[in-house]
Amino acid sequence: MDKFVIQGGRPLNGTVAASGSKNASLPLMAAALLARGTFTIHHTPDLQDVHTLANLLRIIGCRVQYDPVGKDMLINTENVHHFEAPYELVKKMRASIYVLGPLLARYGEARVSLPGGCAWGPRPVDLHIEGMKQLGADIDLDGGYIVARKDRLIGNRIKFPISSVGATGNVLMAAVLARGESVLENAAIEPEIVALTQFLAAMGAKIDGIGTRKLTVQGVDHLYPTHFDNLPDRIEIGTFMIAAAMTRGDVTITNVIHEQIEAISEHLIRAGCTIEKGDRRIRVKGPETISPVNVITDVFPGFPTDMQAQWIAFMTQASGPSSIVDQIYFDRWKHVPELERLNAKLRTDGNMCKIDAPATLKGAQVMSTDLRASASLILAGLAAKGTTEVLRVYHLDRGYEKLELKLASLGAEITREKYEEFVKLDTEE
Ligand code: UD1
């Protein structure tokens, strides 16, 4: 396995380019199943999750080629014949469930493993299933699989009880080929969903209300392949912004869409950072004294839950105590005991974490438990005194492209090394 070895205490300086968005590229790739032909998705990041979905598409019958230098993902869907997402892949990556809507809508059947729990607690997919039912699908749960069938889905009005990125994307992909009109209310408006909607529109889907919480879809009989530019990864950008801030560095990030990171920028300004916005670039200068800032995570445009763990690491360096409430996931605290090994002073109570600061972080061996938890441990390691070893960085490789090389280019002392683990645990996410 790989680990990162970090010598903390160096301010980061320089310029780094953001990679393409992981969470946008996954539904875009799945959406290719909706039409016959060859798709190209530019700026697809070279990440484990992307490769997992590429493998799933291959199992389904697609020809998938990825160019890790040019970052182009080519998907040819002419030979789709196997309408199943097996447990081995879905348990590795929950977003595999994105193939449910497209397979069902285009081929009239889909067999998709239920993902099971995730590293930080239950993450149901009931809204995906309910949405398909409301479009007329017959759904059975059989041997741990969602088995969905319907020759042609029928448009309907679907009101999501809570805003869900995945359910909105999945149900939308099903609705675009349904007969008649569908109205999706309380739809997610995360940039990744807006990108998916634009991708579907480029394929010939008829969708009104793009970027709003009410999407009106007129189902069409056929969709067509397209070429598309993926978004930059707003969570990777936010992670670099915090890395700059908490090491009191001065970092410019390029390939940025400002509207997608507004909440992160605003919170960093309140913490005392200097932020300069340029043309698709942002410069972040860390303050001498970091002010404590309380955060409540929320759906877009609120502060993202995927930045919660990194923000906790940052706030350990503030001049006073703060708190963070996660409204999206109530038990996403796997990073807390690991951060405590680095001498962070944290206390969780339900979906709130209190951060007692300032704390002098001290290097130690810590364990990645999930993707964003890994990022928070690396950030803490960059600010800690001495050497931090972050084990099991395969979690990080799911969602950050060459993070250690990018951080090293900004002056961080961080290396990737091999190590043996005596006890190998299963790694479902
Ligand atoms: C996506 C992101 C993930 C991010 C999350 C919230 C991807 C691949 N992952 O996950 O990084 O943390 O959005 O921004 O894009 N829920 C239900 N039933 C469902 C679906 C969701 O109760 O059927 C709940 C979840 O438990 C959670 C909330 O809805 O409390 C929001 O989850 P959702 O937006 O669906 O997250 P994902 O799409 O899984």
Side-chain angles (χ1 to χ4, degrees):
M1 271 190 227
D2 289 0
K3 65 179 175 185
F4 283 173
V5 181
I6 305 166
Q7 305 293 339
R10 291 169 160 253
L12 300 191
N13 287 295
T15 299
V16 68
S19 295
S21 161
K22 167 178 92 74
N23 285 353
S25 59
L26 300 175
L28 297 183
M29 289 169 68
L33 291 168
L34 287 163
R36 185 182 161 87
T38 303
F39 290 77
T40 312
I41 305 168
H42 306 292
H43 304 300
T44 305
D46 186 5
L47 295 172
Q48 199 48 54
D49 274 10
V50 166
H51 296 303
T52 301
L53 189 54
N55 284 338
L56 173 55
L57 293 178
R58 288 186 185 107
I59 289 171
I60 289 172
C62 300
R63 209 152 29 84
V64 184
Q65 284 171 294
Y66 180 61
D67 166 11
V69 180
K71 312 285 181 199
D72 281 347
M73 174 68 74
L74 261 71
I75 303 173
N76 178 287
T77 59
E78 271 160 31
N79 190 28
V80 169
H81 58 274
H82 185 69
F83 312 126
E84 177 170 316
Y87 182 49
E88 293 91 277
L89 286 181
V90 182
K91 76 172 180 188
K92 273 196 196 159
M93 187 186 68
R94 307 174 57 81
S96 308
I97 198 170
Y98 271 133
V99 301
L100 174 65
L103 284 178
L104 175 62
R106 178 147 153 71
Y107 297 96
E109 58 179 292
R111 203 177 127 82
V112 176
S113 170
L114 280 166
C118 106
W120 68 83
R123 274 174 83 185
V125 290
D126 54 316
L127 301 177
H128 301 239
I129 295 174
E130 193 50 41
M132 301 305 158
K133 281 188 185 163
Q134 290 188 34
L135 293 174
D138 298 318
I139 306 259
D140 284 320
L141 295 181
D142 178 34
Y145 280 73
I146 306 163
V147 182
R149 283 194 193 84
K150 182 72 183 177
D151 285 345
R152 178 96 192 251
L153 295 169
I154 305 157
N156 200 353
R157 175 178 166 273
I158 294 161
K159 185 165 185 187
F160 295 107
I162 51 173
S163 176
S164 160
V165 174
T168 301
N170 225 341
V171 175
L172 179 66
M173 288 190 277
V176 288
L177 283 181
R179 187 163 9 144
E181 181 177 277
S182 297
V183 181
L184 276 53
E185 291 181 36
N186 197 23
I189 54 166
E190 268 66 6
E192 297 76 19
I193 291 298
V194 178
L196 171 65
T197 322
Q198 290 163 340
F199 184 74
L200 293 169
M203 290 170 68
K206 302 273 173 266
I207 306 169
D208 274 343
I210 293 182
T212 73
R213 296 212 167 271
K214 183 174 171 185
L215 298 172
T216 305
V217 181
Q218 306 297 337
V220 294
D221 293 339
H222 295 287
L223 293 168
Y224 304 92
T226 190
H227 303 265
F228 199 77
D229 272 336
N230 185 24
L231 300 177
D233 195 306
R234 62 192 170 106
I235 305 302
E236 187 205 24
I237 294 167
T239 304
F240 281 121
M241 290 168 81
I242 291 185
M246 79 185 282
T247 62
R248 275 89 169 170
D250 181 351
V251 172
T252 298
I253 305 149
T254 59
N255 190 24
V256 167
I257 300 177
H258 293 289
E259 303 78 59
Q260 297 176 356
I261 53 166
E262 211 50 63
I264 303 166
S265 304
E266 276 170 16
H267 282 80
L268 283 170
I269 290 168
R270 281 165 53 200
C273 296
T274 308
I275 301 252
E276 283 171 26
K277 293 180 185 175
D279 180 23
R280 283 184 73 96
R281 58 174 54 223
I282 194 159
R283 179 175 179 190
V284 181
K285 282 196 256 183
E288 204 46 56
T289 304
I290 297 169
S291 304
V293 178
N294 297 336
V295 167
I296 301 178
T297 70
D298 207 346
V299 296
F300 191 82
F303 190 94
T305 174
D306 286 350
M307 289 297 301
Q308 177 256 97
Q310 299 90 314
W311 192 263
I312 291 180
F314 179 39
M315 280 296 112
T316 65
Q317 300 307 289
S319 58
S322 63
S323 67
I324 186 157
V325 173
D326 196 330
Q327 296 200 106
I328 309 297
Y329 297 113
F330 295 128
D331 197 15
R332 192 178 191 174
W333 304 126
K334 286 274 194 178
H335 40 288
V336 164
E338 298 299 319
L339 287 169
E340 284 173 330
R341 288 178 54 76
L342 296 171
N343 205 37
K345 307 291 179 212
L346 309 173
R347 192 156 47 85
T348 58
D349 181 7
N351 68 337
M352 175 187 280
C353 180
K354 291 193 170 150
I355 304 136
D356 197 6
T360 304
L361 298 179
K362 296 179 194 158
Q365 226 180 27
V366 287
M367 182 89 83
S368 296
T369 51
D370 62 70
L371 173 56
R372 307 305 169 188
S374 319
S376 81
L377 296 175
I378 291 163
L379 292 173
L382 293 174
K385 283 195 163 56
T387 308
T388 297
E389 292 196 359
V390 183
L391 308 183
R392 296 191 181 180
V393 291
Y394 58 84
H395 289 291
L396 190 92
D397 294 335
R398 293 186 50 198
Y400 286 90
E401 201 178 41
K402 300 189 174 58
L403 184 64
E404 77 282 19
L405 299 183
K406 288 187 175 186
L407 288 172
S409 77
L410 297 172
E413 233 183 274
I414 177 168
T415 50
R416 181 185 287 261
E417 295 179 14
K418 296 269 175 224
Y419 75 104
E420 286 290 326
E421 228 176 68
F422 298 112
V423 186
K424 290 212 168 76
L425 299 176
D426 200 16
T427 57
E428 181 280 316
E429 288 237 332

